[in-house]
Amino acid sequence: MTGDVTVTGFGVRTAFGTGADALRRGVFAGVPSFVPTTRFDTGPYRTPMAGAAPDGADAVEDWALRHALARCGTEALDMAGLPRGTEAAVLLGIAGDCTSITRYWRDAAAMPEADGSGGTDGSSGADGSGGADADRGTDRARGLAEADPGHALRGDRAVEAARLVRAGGPLTEVGLGHGLPTTPAIAAAARLADAVPARLAESLAGGLGLTGPRLTFTNACVASAAAIIHACRLISSGRIDVAVCAGGYLVEEETFGKFDSGRALSRDGMVRPFSADRSGLLLGDGVAAVVLESTEHARRRGARPLAGVVGWGAATDAHHIAQPHPEGVGLARAARQALRLAGDPDGSSLGYVNAHGTGTKYNDGAETRGLRAAIPERAESIPVSSTKSTTGHLLEAAGVVEFVITMLALMDGVLPPTAGFTQADPECDLDYVPNQPRHTDLRRALTINAAFGGANTALLLERP
């Protein structure tokens, strides 16, 4: 299978900024990105820390995933030299944009009561411009928004509504209720289209001008890795020649609150994977897109190969809804699949593993045992590091962003360190590249991810 799938382009964004150089300055230098986020009020939570990019020139417009995905997809296609109109599959790993959900409920809750004192546009109604009609409109808007957010926002009208909201146009133009006034709740409801994962895939494909099949993966923290694996299967079987695989997560309050309530977030504002004193994970911004091609297709058009994807594997151990199998059974199975597919079941050519490495109590020990089971003869001699120690956990985007990081390690001959490493845990006894990058002659590297429900993925990359 070696050389059947080739990477020809990528675009990436993390808290460190946009592009490969930002990753080199942050991830590969071992500099954690964690700061108190100001994106929302963190007062109710146990920690304010996240790997969230600051506001400013490099900020994503309106903190919307559609903008970040479009930017990374454009950069990937430009690097690959592929034009608009290319027949390419678009495979996206994402959970939707949860900011739209949070905004909707907050805007709905903040809507003023219809007491006859004014219209929904701020007019008093005293001169006859508001009055009973405005009150009825407000009641109707509230009823539609609170009882059925999808009412009159389905299909093409949802897309048009979202466009009009962004442009500042009245929602009545798309028939939202025959004279229904524009209200904060209704405007927020229009943005709910961004919370639908399949809609974001369609938006990405349409914005990039790509023709071909579209598919969205929502299987949590392996979502974008699963998208890459599926693309590799399609390409290697000859069903497609080109695929754009992407994933994204931007830190927002909906998910932040859930991880906080589950007591999964680090207590000391740092992520210390594989260390004895690790206390949990922190969330981080991550969006990336990669262009995969059949090697023959890339060769015919003279594209520069960045890396080959020579093996992939996926397995589920279904041990627990939120905890990995204590022996890393599923992870080991996925890694062995990838190595066998690459013709190297013993991992003799493997030079580095980018671990899932969340810095949580259960993950790190289980992952260590899973790697020992996958490559028993070589586990102690292969460097392993967790880049979540710098980026934070990127959730659905973890697979594709860490794929890009692993590819850069191959291209540059530099291993990214496990930042924040303090003291060894007896259960975590491998070479974790502590705190400092390491230069090495690297031919092949493995990147692995895991998710709730026992899902595990492995992708094996090779330097061209």
Side-chain angles (χ1 to χ4, degrees):
M1 301 296 290
T2 300
D4 278 358
V5 181
T6 296
V7 187
T8 56
F10 68 90
V12 63
R13 187 183 196 281
T14 65
F16 297 110
T18 300
D21 285 343
L23 291 177
R24 292 181 176 112
R25 291 191 302 269
V27 172
F28 284 84
V31 179
S33 62
F34 311 119
V35 295
T37 182
T38 58
R39 202 168 293 173
F40 50 86
D41 179 14
T42 58
Y45 307 117
R46 293 179 180 86
T47 180
M49 305 297 281
D55 294 330
D58 200 36
V60 174
E61 179 188 347
D62 200 27
W63 294 112
L65 275 174
R66 64 180 179 273
H67 301 309
L69 288 166
R71 178 188 295 183
C72 289
T74 299
E75 290 171 356
L77 288 173
D78 288 347
M79 185 182 296
L82 289 170
R84 293 180 64 87
T86 295
E87 184 175 350
V90 174
L91 298 98
L92 179 61
I94 206 160
D97 187 350
C98 290
T99 58
S100 59
I101 299 173
T102 306
R103 286 176 180 175
Y104 166 72
W105 287 113
R106 284 189 168 165
D107 287 348
M111 280 180 62
E113 291 296 327
D115 58 5
S117 61
T120 59
D121 62 354
S123 60
S124 68
D127 59 358
S129 62
D133 287 343
D135 293 342
R136 286 194 294 271
T138 302
D139 287 338
R140 187 177 184 189
R142 183 183 299 107
L144 289 177
E146 295 181 352
D148 182 8
H151 181 83
L153 288 170
R154 299 185 177 95
D156 292 339
R157 285 193 292 177
V159 179
E160 182 64 8
R163 184 190 69 78
L164 285 167
V165 167
R166 290 195 296 272
L171 291 175
T172 52
E173 289 180 28
V174 290
L176 297 184
H178 304 291
L180 180 68
T182 301
T183 69
I186 295 300
R191 289 193 295 265
L192 285 175
D194 289 339
V196 181
R199 171 65 198 138
L200 284 170
E202 290 292 328
S203 173
L204 177 63
L208 297 177
L210 299 178
T211 63
R214 292 93 185 261
L215 190 61
T216 306
F217 294 79
T218 59
N219 44 343
C221 306
V222 299
S224 55
I228 294 172
I229 288 172
H230 192 66
C232 289
R233 289 169 174 163
L234 293 174
I235 292 171
S236 66
S237 66
R239 284 180 281 179
I240 63 172
D241 283 322
V242 183
V244 175
C245 300
Y249 173 73
L250 298 176
V251 175
E252 40 67 50
E253 191 171 9
E254 181 88 6
T255 305
F256 192 95
K258 291 174 182 176
F259 274 85
D260 180 79
S261 65
R263 299 179 183 272
L265 300 182
S266 170
R267 295 187 300 271
D268 63 2
M270 294 292 291
V271 180
R272 306 182 188 279
F274 307 111
S275 289
D277 58 347
R278 64 190 183 276
S279 64
L281 59 86
L282 292 172
L283 301 178
D285 286 346
V287 183
V290 295
V291 176
L292 305 181
E293 300 184 53
S294 70
T295 299
E296 177 58 23
H297 184 272
R299 185 194 63 77
R300 284 199 308 268
R301 67 183 194 85
R304 174 191 171 218
L306 304 177
V309 188
V310 295
W312 49 87
T316 302
D317 55 48
H319 167 73
H320 187 276
I321 188 61
Q323 296 175 14
H325 190 288
E327 299 301 317
V329 171
L331 184 146
R333 190 178 299 126
R336 284 195 294 264
Q337 287 176 23
L339 291 166
R340 283 198 303 269
L341 193 60
D344 184 18
D346 299 326
S348 59
S349 63
L350 185 60
Y352 168 64
V353 176
N354 187 308
H356 189 58
T358 59
T360 54
K361 176 183 177 182
Y362 293 105
N363 176 89
D364 296 0
E367 188 167 11
T368 298
R369 289 185 285 275
L371 286 171
R372 282 188 170 277
I375 41 176
E377 302 300 321
R378 295 211 57 224
E380 293 185 1
S381 63
I382 296 176
V384 178
S385 70
S386 169
T387 52
K388 290 182 179 68
S389 61
T390 55
T391 64
H393 198 337
L394 313 177
L395 302 185
E396 289 80 13
V400 66
V401 174
E402 290 164 12
F403 180 93
V404 171
I405 291 169
T406 305
M407 183 170 61
L408 288 177
L410 285 170
M411 294 169 63
D412 296 349
V414 179
L415 304 184
T418 300
F421 192 90
T422 53
Q423 52 186 313
D425 185 327
E427 292 189 354
C428 304
D429 54 359
L430 301 179
D431 174 7
Y432 299 113
V433 195
N435 298 314
Q436 297 295 325
R438 186 181 302 172
H439 293 264
T440 184
D441 184 18
L442 193 61
R443 179 187 167 214
R444 282 181 170 179
L446 185 72
T447 178
I448 51 181
N449 291 102
F452 286 165
N456 300 270
T457 58
L459 286 154
L460 185 61
L461 284 76
E462 181 178 81
R463 187 180 65 202

